[in-house]
Amino acid sequence: MQNEAPVWGEGIRVLRGIRGKMTQEALAEAAKVSQATISRLECGSFEASDATRVRIARALGVDPHVLFPYLEDAAS
């Protein structure tokens, strides 16, 4: 499968902007991950676990499939 991490990262960046210019730090805190994780995801240099992706999507107030449509089971 082709690496789609840059697409996810752009989605995270766009949603942070829509959410009132949410900072990487604020998103990281809400998702219980490090700011470095958010930064690496946005740059496309990191692929997070499904659980982390779900926490990030929920922290952004969207269904996980909005950012990560390939997820098999986002409810886990």
Side-chain angles (χ1 to χ4, degrees), residues 5 8-9 12 36-48 56:
W8 304 328
I12 292 169
T37 295
I38 301 299
S39 177
R40 290 173 32 208
L41 279 168
E42 288 186 358
C43 291
S45 65
F46 179 71
E47 290 192 37
I56 291 168

Side-chain angles (χ1 to χ4, degrees), residues 1 4-5 8 47-51 53 64-74:
M1 179 194 320
E4 297 180 10
W8 304 328
E47 290 192 37
S49 69
D50 286 352
R53 293 172 181 167
H65 289 92
V66 170
L67 287 174
F68 312 108
Y70 75 93
L71 289 178
E72 294 293 326
D73 183 12

Side-chain angles (χ1 to χ4, degrees), residues 21-58:
K21 306 227 186 261
M22 178 184 244
T23 65
Q24 287 184 348
E25 293 83 5
L27 176 56
E29 184 176 327
K32 297 183 180 10
V33 299
S34 70
Q35 181 273 328
T37 295
I38 301 299
S39 177
R40 290 173 32 208
L41 279 168
E42 288 186 358
C43 291
S45 65
F46 179 71
E47 290 192 37
S49 69
D50 286 352
T52 298
R53 293 172 181 167
V54 168
R55 286 196 314 269
I56 291 168
R58 288 182 177 159

Side-chain angles (χ1 to χ4, degrees), residues 3-24:
N3 182 358
E4 297 180 10
V7 175
W8 304 328
E10 182 62 25
I12 292 169
R13 189 176 304 112
V14 167
L15 283 170
R16 282 194 308 107
I18 290 170
R19 299 289 181 248
K21 306 227 186 261
M22 178 184 244
T23 65
Q24 287 184 348

